[in-house]
Amino acid sequence: FLFKFLVIGSAGTGKSCLLHQFIENKFKQDSNHTIGVEFGSKVVNVGGKTVKLQIWDTAGQERFRSVTRSYYRGAAGALLVYDITSRETYNALAHWLTDARTLASLNIVVILCGNKKDLDADREVTFLEASRFAQENELMFLETSALTGENVEEAFLKCARTILNKIDSGELDPERMGSGIQYGDASLRQLRQPRGAQAETRQQCNC
């Protein structure tokens, strides 16, 4: 499978560092604010299935909102990131979540990530409080550290696992336009698609 993912949240929460840590397994030392959108991809094994994650890291600054919003379309999963040392980034979560569910899809699988877990001494948002927010909004929740790598891979895998479970249960249909899911295997696609659509899909996802 190929899943389209988003990393969303306010500026300065460490979104680019999370993506870098996930893809490169190391901390990005000289991270500047993302301008517009950055992209990364990684192939992972989830429950015995090979899944390629196409991840769009969006700018958190208000002036890029109109650009980043266009990338929400057709996303299957999202990491919604706040900084545990910044109450302001936590307060903005509802606003980001509304965008994701309105612009991507009501079925988008979202995991809430309280980043900068390594800065526990400077914490402004408690684990319990964020956990309650996640519960009320039907989100999964993890605290992560892009610096140490704690729970970073788990956040992406947990999101991918949930999407796979929803495909298995029939709740998500990869055939539906805008689902953010594609079959990565050409032979699987041939069983399910008219010939003209195959070439186009292979071009899109470089399968």
Side-chain angles (χ1 to χ4, degrees):
F1 286 104
L2 185 146
F3 295 165
K4 178 180 174 181
F5 269 33
L6 298 168
V7 186
I8 56 176
S10 299
T13 53
K15 297 186 297 298
S16 299
C17 294
L18 278 173
L19 179 59
H20 192 78
Q21 176 64 259
F22 176 59
I23 289 170
E24 306 285 342
N25 291 318
K26 57 177 188 248
F27 183 63
K28 189 178 185 182
Q29 292 290 355
D30 51 347
S31 185
N32 298 317
H33 284 313
T34 301
I35 295 173
V37 176
E38 286 176 13
F39 174 76
S41 70
K42 186 173 182 174
V43 175
V44 292
N45 187 295
V46 187
K49 291 190 174 79
T50 302
V51 178
K52 183 177 184 179
L53 302 182
Q54 283 191 334
I55 307 154
W56 298 93
D57 166 27
T58 63
Q61 289 160 294
E62 190 62 45
R63 63 196 169 108
F64 296 118
R65 268 325 248 292
S66 57
V67 177
T68 57
R69 281 173 150 181
S70 60
Y71 285 88
Y72 282 51
R73 260 193 307 279
L79 268 69
L80 174 59
V81 186
Y82 70 97
D83 171 355
I84 68 161
T85 70
S86 163
R87 164 72 47 189
E88 193 185 342
T89 65
Y90 175 77
N91 290 344
L93 288 176
H95 177 57
W96 288 103
L97 185 59
T98 302
D99 268 8
R101 285 183 169 158
T102 313
L103 301 167
S105 134
L106 274 173
N107 297 322
I108 189 170
V109 173
V110 182
I111 182 161
L112 179 64
C113 294
N115 195 32
K116 307 193 185 177
K117 191 173 189 281
D118 49 285
L119 299 176
D120 202 58
D122 302 320
R123 178 188 286 277
E124 287 185 2
V125 182
T126 68
F127 182 89
L128 192 67
E129 184 181 8
S131 182
R132 202 175 294 128
F133 176 86
Q135 223 171 355
E136 285 166 3
N137 291 283
E138 297 175 2
L139 310 174
M140 296 173 289
F141 171 54
L142 279 176
E143 285 193 340
T144 56
S145 168
L147 179 66
T148 66
E150 186 179 351
N151 280 341
V152 174
E153 187 168 47
E154 181 52 28
F156 285 94
L157 293 183
K158 206 170 178 172
C159 203
R161 211 175 294 127
T162 305
I163 294 167
L164 277 177
N165 291 342
K166 288 191 172 198
I167 293 170
D168 289 343
S169 70
E171 203 179 323
L172 274 179
D173 178 11
E175 297 291 302
R176 194 178 57 76
M177 279 290 289
S179 66
I181 302 158
Q182 292 176 14
Y183 288 106
D185 187 321
S187 59
L188 257 179
R189 300 201 65 95
Q190 274 156 2
L191 298 172
R192 294 172 169 267
Q193 279 194 330
R195 291 190 71 85
Q198 287 164 28
E200 187 182 73
T201 311
R202 269 202 293 279
Q203 259 179 343
Q204 282 172 352
C205 68
N206 305 320
C207 304

